[in-house]
Amino acid sequence: MDPKERSSDKAAQEMIKRMAEAGIANAWDRLEAQSPQCGFGKLGVCCRICAMGPCRIDPFGEGPQVGVCGADVDTIVARNFLRAIAAGVSAHSDHGRTVAEVFLATANGEAKDYQIKDTIKLHKLALELGVEIKDRSANEIAVDVGKIALAEFGKSEGTQLMARRAPAPRQEIWKKLGITPRAVDREVTESLHRSTMGVDQDYKNILTHASRVALADGWGGAMLATELQDVLFGTPYPGRGEVNMGVLKEDQVNIIVHGHEPILSEMIAAASQDAEMLAEAKKVGAKGINVAGTCCTANELLMRHGIPIAGNFLNQELVISTGAIELMAVDVQCVMQGLTTVANCYHTKLVTTADKAKMPGIEHVSMEETAALDTAKELVKTAIGNYKNRGEVYIPEEKESAVGGFSFECINYMLGGRFRASFRPLNDNIINGRIRGVAGIVGCTNPKVPQDLTHTTLTRELIKRDVLVLTTGCATIACGKLGLTNPAKALELAGPGLREVCETVGMPPVLTCGSCVDNTRLLVSCSEIVREGGLGEDISEVPVAGACLESVSEKAFAIGQYFVASGLLVVFAKEIMPILGSENVSNYLFDGIEKDVGGRWAVESDPVKAADMILEHIEAKRDALGINVEKERKLYDMADRRALSIE
Ligand code: SF4
Ligand code: MSK
């Protein structure tokens, strides 16, 4: 296949071609080998939950319409969807739990290489969680915060504390439906229980729990991950970085950190700057040590340290094929097993670091928080020692300047200034129509569509039409590679209203908000828009939507469902939505659910049409708010002025 049909990223195209010439397979080749993929699986109509199966429903109505146990297509599709969401929730939330454990160990003085970096955010979080801050040290406060946070994952009573951040009417909706999320573990366990053979057989009841478990992530585990990471590693503020494979350096030791948890990457970044390490690198003839990231770990590092990003999900194998990577350290999530084969074709040393994620035949170095920096130094030394083993190196030239670091706090500050940090200017400009609304563009890159193309096309279409775009995950990296997170370039593409506002407040039209867990920054921002006033009482009234047209991971379904259950429209690509085998489930998620939670799913694979869909939704919300009405210009005479009441 022509590399251009596989990726819209020029650097990726070059490396795909070179890998093909070298006879080394990557994800696109493996997809081709798998094609045609199972039609039953795509529709979500196969079930292998019990040993009477596997069963499958004939989508043409000619074969069996129920499984051996009698489960119909609605039950099977809904159960599969719930299980995918629960798996996604468990991934993000387990990430959150790991961060909470390291956070607590840091506060207790057991993890000496980490420090509480953002005490202002710590104090805010402490007050929110009811922790006393007066006359107490940061570590004392953090111990209490850490204990409360850790309990959120497994407490036996009560609901998620972070869910109190949602506007009151939203919390009422959840309460009425009985979906206010409890402990993460409980919601995940109940998801698995309900979807086992012979339990929940009412597709709507199953999907209602899908909302509850997803909310436990969005307003629980993932939100805590973001909050605690900010306190521990620093709340991100805008800084410049570079994106794409051109960030690799031919004359330096290159280390790639790949995965999700900044626990590892923060330490490798620190170790690479250590004078002793740099001296070691010089001894082997390298000019320095270059750390770059792939996937969400990359976003975390760019956001906090301006460390370059080598690529997103589909770039992970391609970066190794440059021959320039001495070491790739991986932790959890989105690490393809195919990396082993690719790394074996080059000198690259692949190392796993999370005890819960090992790879056969690959060296494992356990990342203990009590000896984090020493472990990171060992890894850096391994990379330095491997420099001499390099063979042929080919690094594509492509790289783009990017600005990352738009945390909620930063957006608040940029809009309102230091002494009156506020979303008011954003609300005002949505109300006056300069900005039509806000869209979150999130998620992965899937070899089923040309890499990056849907994210970047959708982003361009939306900013052109005066929609402010917030991005996370691999979508952010896709935008970064095309220069869309470079304010100077992106402003050129923005519509006149959005451009005027962005230039006034000094903010780009595409805001890079971080990794996948940082989608919770979007929820917090939506709540703040409501709190600021003038755009309705609930998130479902605000002209906001989310989209992920290249999703890969089950985590994307979890994010989608918590956006929907928070009141938003979420657009996914049709081919990637495994619910279409059931008309009832599809009708409910695309339509009926809106009456219950105020948000809904939609499918559209064409990014331009997806932009149309999002704009239509935004304009409908604006109409409902009454802010699309042209205000009559009125000249006040003295009598009018006297009649004005000032309260
Ligand atoms: Fe088949 Fe029912 Fe068992 Fe699923 S739960 S595998 S539909 S018998
Ligand atoms: S890394 S979940 S491929 S966005 Fe978060 Fe990228 Fe998707 Fe993994």
Side-chain angles (χ1 to χ4, degrees), residues 253 255 271 276-277 280 284 289 327 374-387:
V253 171
I255 298 175
E276 185 201 341
M277 295 296 126
E280 291 286 325
V284 298
I289 304 167
L327 179 123
D374 287 344
T375 312
K377 281 184 186 170
E378 281 312 308
L379 291 171
V380 173
K381 273 187 201 157
T382 305
I384 295 168
N386 198 19
Y387 185 69

PDB file of all heavy atoms in Angstrom, residues 253 255 271 276-277 280 284 289 327 374-387:
ATOM      1  N   VAL A 253      22.879  10.339  22.342  1.00  0.00           N
ATOM      2  CA  VAL A 253      22.228   9.106  22.791  1.00  0.00           C
ATOM      3  C   VAL A 253      20.725   9.408  22.844  1.00  0.00           C
ATOM      4  O   VAL A 253      20.306  10.352  23.511  1.00  0.00           O
ATOM      5  CB  VAL A 253      22.725   8.712  24.205  1.00  0.00           C
ATOM      6  CG1 VAL A 253      21.906   7.567  24.769  1.00  0.00           C
ATOM      7  CG2 VAL A 253      24.205   8.373  24.166  1.00  0.00           C
ATOM      8  N   ILE A 255      16.931   8.416  23.828  1.00  0.00           N
ATOM      9  CA  ILE A 255      16.107   7.565  24.693  1.00  0.00           C
ATOM     10  C   ILE A 255      14.646   7.924  24.448  1.00  0.00           C
ATOM     11  O   ILE A 255      14.283   9.105  24.470  1.00  0.00           O
ATOM     12  CB  ILE A 255      16.439   7.809  26.188  1.00  0.00           C
ATOM     13  CG1 ILE A 255      17.904   7.448  26.465  1.00  0.00           C
ATOM     14  CG2 ILE A 255      15.502   7.013  27.096  1.00  0.00           C
ATOM     15  CD1 ILE A 255      18.363   7.772  27.878  1.00  0.00           C
ATOM     16  N   ALA A 271      17.368  12.163  35.129  1.00  0.00           N
ATOM     17  CA  ALA A 271      18.645  11.432  35.063  1.00  0.00           C
ATOM     18  C   ALA A 271      19.449  11.826  33.821  1.00  0.00           C
ATOM     19  O   ALA A 271      20.684  11.880  33.859  1.00  0.00           O
ATOM     20  CB  ALA A 271      18.380   9.928  35.070  1.00  0.00           C
ATOM     21  N   GLU A 276      27.015  13.491  35.730  1.00  0.00           N
ATOM     22  CA  GLU A 276      27.761  12.233  35.592  1.00  0.00           C
ATOM     23  C   GLU A 276      27.316  11.480  34.332  1.00  0.00           C
ATOM     24  O   GLU A 276      28.127  10.939  33.575  1.00  0.00           O
ATOM     25  CB  GLU A 276      27.479  11.372  36.841  1.00  0.00           C
ATOM     26  CG  GLU A 276      28.256  10.092  36.913  1.00  0.00           C
ATOM     27  CD  GLU A 276      27.582   9.077  37.856  1.00  0.00           C
ATOM     28  OE1 GLU A 276      26.756   9.468  38.705  1.00  0.00           O
ATOM     29  OE2 GLU A 276      27.884   7.900  37.704  1.00  0.00           O
ATOM     30  N   MET A 277      26.019  11.489  34.080  1.00  0.00           N
ATOM     31  CA  MET A 277      25.475  10.806  32.898  1.00  0.00           C
ATOM     32  C   MET A 277      25.961  11.481  31.611  1.00  0.00           C
ATOM     33  O   MET A 277      26.348  10.817  30.648  1.00  0.00           O
ATOM     34  CB  MET A 277      23.928  10.837  32.915  1.00  0.00           C
ATOM     35  CG  MET A 277      23.296  10.080  34.026  1.00  0.00           C
ATOM     36  SD  MET A 277      23.618   8.325  33.931  1.00  0.00           S
ATOM     37  CE  MET A 277      24.269   8.051  35.533  1.00  0.00           C
ATOM     38  N   GLU A 280      29.463  10.553  30.959  1.00  0.00           N
ATOM     39  CA  GLU A 280      29.520   9.173  30.428  1.00  0.00           C
ATOM     40  C   GLU A 280      29.196   9.168  28.939  1.00  0.00           C
ATOM     41  O   GLU A 280      29.831   8.465  28.144  1.00  0.00           O
ATOM     42  CB  GLU A 280      28.500   8.284  31.161  1.00  0.00           C
ATOM     43  CG  GLU A 280      28.819   7.994  32.602  1.00  0.00           C
ATOM     44  CD  GLU A 280      29.957   6.997  32.752  1.00  0.00           C
ATOM     45  OE1 GLU A 280      30.046   6.081  31.919  1.00  0.00           O
ATOM     46  OE2 GLU A 280      30.756   7.160  33.691  1.00  0.00           O
ATOM     47  N   VAL A 284      31.577   8.075  25.329  1.00  0.00           N
ATOM     48  CA  VAL A 284      31.322   7.138  24.223  1.00  0.00           C
ATOM     49  C   VAL A 284      31.178   7.873  22.886  1.00  0.00           C
ATOM     50  O   VAL A 284      30.790   7.283  21.877  1.00  0.00           O
ATOM     51  CB  VAL A 284      30.080   6.243  24.498  1.00  0.00           C
ATOM     52  CG1 VAL A 284      30.270   5.380  25.723  1.00  0.00           C
ATOM     53  CG2 VAL A 284      28.806   7.078  24.608  1.00  0.00           C
ATOM     54  N   ILE A 289      22.578  13.651  25.714  1.00  0.00           N
ATOM     55  CA  ILE A 289      21.528  12.635  25.885  1.00  0.00           C
ATOM     56  C   ILE A 289      20.200  13.291  25.525  1.00  0.00           C
ATOM     57  O   ILE A 289      19.827  14.312  26.112  1.00  0.00           O
ATOM     58  CB  ILE A 289      21.486  12.115  27.341  1.00  0.00           C
ATOM     59  CG1 ILE A 289      22.864  11.572  27.746  1.00  0.00           C
ATOM     60  CG2 ILE A 289      20.418  11.046  27.500  1.00  0.00           C
ATOM     61  CD1 ILE A 289      23.016  11.334  29.242  1.00  0.00           C
ATOM     62  N   LEU A 327      17.633   3.309  23.561  1.00  0.00           N
ATOM     63  CA  LEU A 327      16.799   2.633  24.559  1.00  0.00           C
ATOM     64  C   LEU A 327      15.370   3.156  24.480  1.00  0.00           C
ATOM     65  O   LEU A 327      15.152   4.360  24.335  1.00  0.00           O
ATOM     66  CB  LEU A 327      17.364   2.893  25.960  1.00  0.00           C
ATOM     67  CG  LEU A 327      16.584   2.257  27.106  1.00  0.00           C
ATOM     68  CD1 LEU A 327      17.494   1.347  27.941  1.00  0.00           C
ATOM     69  CD2 LEU A 327      15.978   3.308  28.025  1.00  0.00           C
ATOM     70  N   ASP A 374      17.749   6.321  40.928  1.00  0.00           N
ATOM     71  CA  ASP A 374      18.811   5.339  40.691  1.00  0.00           C
ATOM     72  C   ASP A 374      18.426   4.395  39.550  1.00  0.00           C
ATOM     73  O   ASP A 374      19.238   4.072  38.685  1.00  0.00           O
ATOM     74  CB  ASP A 374      19.089   4.517  41.961  1.00  0.00           C
ATOM     75  CG  ASP A 374      19.828   5.343  43.003  1.00  0.00           C
ATOM     76  OD1 ASP A 374      20.372   6.405  42.629  1.00  0.00           O
ATOM     77  OD2 ASP A 374      19.834   4.953  44.186  1.00  0.00           O
ATOM     78  N   THR A 375      17.170   3.961  39.557  1.00  0.00           N
ATOM     79  CA  THR A 375      16.696   3.081  38.480  1.00  0.00           C
ATOM     80  C   THR A 375      16.774   3.810  37.143  1.00  0.00           C
ATOM     81  O   THR A 375      17.229   3.251  36.135  1.00  0.00           O
ATOM     82  CB  THR A 375      15.232   2.639  38.747  1.00  0.00           C
ATOM     83  OG1 THR A 375      15.133   2.187  40.086  1.00  0.00           O
ATOM     84  CG2 THR A 375      14.795   1.551  37.797  1.00  0.00           C
ATOM     85  N   ALA A 376      16.333   5.074  37.150  1.00  0.00           N
ATOM     86  CA  ALA A 376      16.372   5.857  35.908  1.00  0.00           C
ATOM     87  C   ALA A 376      17.813   6.007  35.420  1.00  0.00           C
ATOM     88  O   ALA A 376      18.089   5.904  34.220  1.00  0.00           O
ATOM     89  CB  ALA A 376      15.727   7.220  36.140  1.00  0.00           C
ATOM     90  N   LYS A 377      18.739   6.219  36.348  1.00  0.00           N
ATOM     91  CA  LYS A 377      20.152   6.361  35.955  1.00  0.00           C
ATOM     92  C   LYS A 377      20.670   5.058  35.345  1.00  0.00           C
ATOM     93  O   LYS A 377      21.449   5.077  34.390  1.00  0.00           O
ATOM     94  CB  LYS A 377      20.999   6.759  37.165  1.00  0.00           C
ATOM     95  CG  LYS A 377      20.892   8.242  37.491  1.00  0.00           C
ATOM     96  CD  LYS A 377      21.825   8.585  38.634  1.00  0.00           C
ATOM     97  CE  LYS A 377      21.647  10.023  39.088  1.00  0.00           C
ATOM     98  NZ  LYS A 377      22.351  10.318  40.321  1.00  0.00           N
ATOM     99  N   GLU A 378      20.250   3.925  35.912  1.00  0.00           N
ATOM    100  CA  GLU A 378      20.653   2.633  35.347  1.00  0.00           C
ATOM    101  C   GLU A 378      20.196   2.534  33.895  1.00  0.00           C
ATOM    102  O   GLU A 378      20.929   2.074  33.016  1.00  0.00           O
ATOM    103  CB  GLU A 378      20.059   1.471  36.167  1.00  0.00           C
ATOM    104  CG  GLU A 378      20.804   1.159  37.452  1.00  0.00           C
ATOM    105  CD  GLU A 378      22.317   1.050  37.256  1.00  0.00           C
ATOM    106  OE1 GLU A 378      22.735   0.294  36.360  1.00  0.00           O
ATOM    107  OE2 GLU A 378      23.064   1.741  37.978  1.00  0.00           O
ATOM    108  N   LEU A 379      18.964   2.965  33.666  1.00  0.00           N
ATOM    109  CA  LEU A 379      18.418   2.898  32.307  1.00  0.00           C
ATOM    110  C   LEU A 379      19.196   3.823  31.362  1.00  0.00           C
ATOM    111  O   LEU A 379      19.514   3.455  30.229  1.00  0.00           O
ATOM    112  CB  LEU A 379      16.928   3.272  32.317  1.00  0.00           C
ATOM    113  CG  LEU A 379      15.992   2.261  32.998  1.00  0.00           C
ATOM    114  CD1 LEU A 379      14.586   2.820  33.156  1.00  0.00           C
ATOM    115  CD2 LEU A 379      15.941   0.953  32.199  1.00  0.00           C
ATOM    116  N   VAL A 380      19.505   5.013  31.862  1.00  0.00           N
ATOM    117  CA  VAL A 380      20.263   5.963  31.023  1.00  0.00           C
ATOM    118  C   VAL A 380      21.648   5.387  30.717  1.00  0.00           C
ATOM    119  O   VAL A 380      22.143   5.469  29.584  1.00  0.00           O
ATOM    120  CB  VAL A 380      20.352   7.345  31.718  1.00  0.00           C
ATOM    121  CG1 VAL A 380      21.282   8.285  30.952  1.00  0.00           C
ATOM    122  CG2 VAL A 380      18.966   7.972  31.850  1.00  0.00           C
ATOM    123  N   LYS A 381      22.267   4.750  31.723  1.00  0.00           N
ATOM    124  CA  LYS A 381      23.596   4.137  31.505  1.00  0.00           C
ATOM    125  C   LYS A 381      23.513   3.031  30.457  1.00  0.00           C
ATOM    126  O   LYS A 381      24.395   2.892  29.603  1.00  0.00           O
ATOM    127  CB  LYS A 381      24.121   3.542  32.818  1.00  0.00           C
ATOM    128  CG  LYS A 381      24.879   4.539  33.664  1.00  0.00           C
ATOM    129  CD  LYS A 381      25.519   3.825  34.857  1.00  0.00           C
ATOM    130  CE  LYS A 381      25.833   4.820  35.951  1.00  0.00           C
ATOM    131  NZ  LYS A 381      25.943   4.227  37.262  1.00  0.00           N
ATOM    132  N   THR A 382      22.448   2.245  30.533  1.00  0.00           N
ATOM    133  CA  THR A 382      22.255   1.184  29.534  1.00  0.00           C
ATOM    134  C   THR A 382      22.186   1.800  28.138  1.00  0.00           C
ATOM    135  O   THR A 382      22.782   1.285  27.176  1.00  0.00           O
ATOM    136  CB  THR A 382      20.952   0.399  29.831  1.00  0.00           C
ATOM    137  OG1 THR A 382      21.013  -0.068  31.162  1.00  0.00           O
ATOM    138  CG2 THR A 382      20.750  -0.752  28.885  1.00  0.00           C
ATOM    139  N   ALA A 383      21.464   2.904  28.031  1.00  0.00           N
ATOM    140  CA  ALA A 383      21.341   3.577  26.732  1.00  0.00           C
ATOM    141  C   ALA A 383      22.709   4.048  26.252  1.00  0.00           C
ATOM    142  O   ALA A 383      23.085   3.840  25.084  1.00  0.00           O
ATOM    143  CB  ALA A 383      20.387   4.761  26.857  1.00  0.00           C
ATOM    144  N   ILE A 384      23.473   4.664  27.153  1.00  0.00           N
ATOM    145  CA  ILE A 384      24.802   5.170  26.781  1.00  0.00           C
ATOM    146  C   ILE A 384      25.681   4.012  26.303  1.00  0.00           C
ATOM    147  O   ILE A 384      26.357   4.105  25.265  1.00  0.00           O
ATOM    148  CB  ILE A 384      25.451   5.908  27.980  1.00  0.00           C
ATOM    149  CG1 ILE A 384      24.643   7.173  28.321  1.00  0.00           C
ATOM    150  CG2 ILE A 384      26.906   6.266  27.677  1.00  0.00           C
ATOM    151  CD1 ILE A 384      25.014   7.816  29.653  1.00  0.00           C
ATOM    152  N   GLY A 385      25.615   2.903  27.046  1.00  0.00           N
ATOM    153  CA  GLY A 385      26.429   1.738  26.682  1.00  0.00           C
ATOM    154  C   GLY A 385      26.049   1.160  25.335  1.00  0.00           C
ATOM    155  O   GLY A 385      26.864   0.497  24.671  1.00  0.00           O
ATOM    156  N   ASN A 386      24.843   1.416  24.910  1.00  0.00           N
ATOM    157  CA  ASN A 386      24.351   0.848  23.650  1.00  0.00           C
ATOM    158  C   ASN A 386      24.667   1.726  22.436  1.00  0.00           C
ATOM    159  O   ASN A 386      24.477   1.315  21.297  1.00  0.00           O
ATOM    160  CB  ASN A 386      22.822   0.647  23.774  1.00  0.00           C
ATOM    161  CG  ASN A 386      22.277  -0.313  22.738  1.00  0.00           C
ATOM    162  OD1 ASN A 386      23.036  -1.095  22.154  1.00  0.00           O
ATOM    163  ND2 ASN A 386      20.981  -0.263  22.496  1.00  0.00           N
ATOM    164  N   TYR A 387      25.155   2.933  22.684  1.00  0.00           N
ATOM    165  CA  TYR A 387      25.413   3.903  21.593  1.00  0.00           C
ATOM    166  C   TYR A 387      26.380   3.320  20.560  1.00  0.00           C
ATOM    167  O   TYR A 387      26.225   3.502  19.365  1.00  0.00           O
ATOM    168  CB  TYR A 387      25.957   5.186  22.224  1.00  0.00           C
ATOM    169  CG  TYR A 387      26.162   6.342  21.261  1.00  0.00           C
ATOM    170  CD1 TYR A 387      25.088   6.994  20.675  1.00  0.00           C
ATOM    171  CD2 TYR A 387      27.451   6.806  20.977  1.00  0.00           C
ATOM    172  CE1 TYR A 387      25.273   8.070  19.816  1.00  0.00           C
ATOM    173  CE2 TYR A 387      27.653   7.882  20.120  1.00  0.00           C
ATOM    174  CZ  TYR A 387      26.565   8.506  19.541  1.00  0.00           C
ATOM    175  OH  TYR A 387      26.761   9.569  18.691  1.00  0.00           O
TER     176      TYR A 387
END
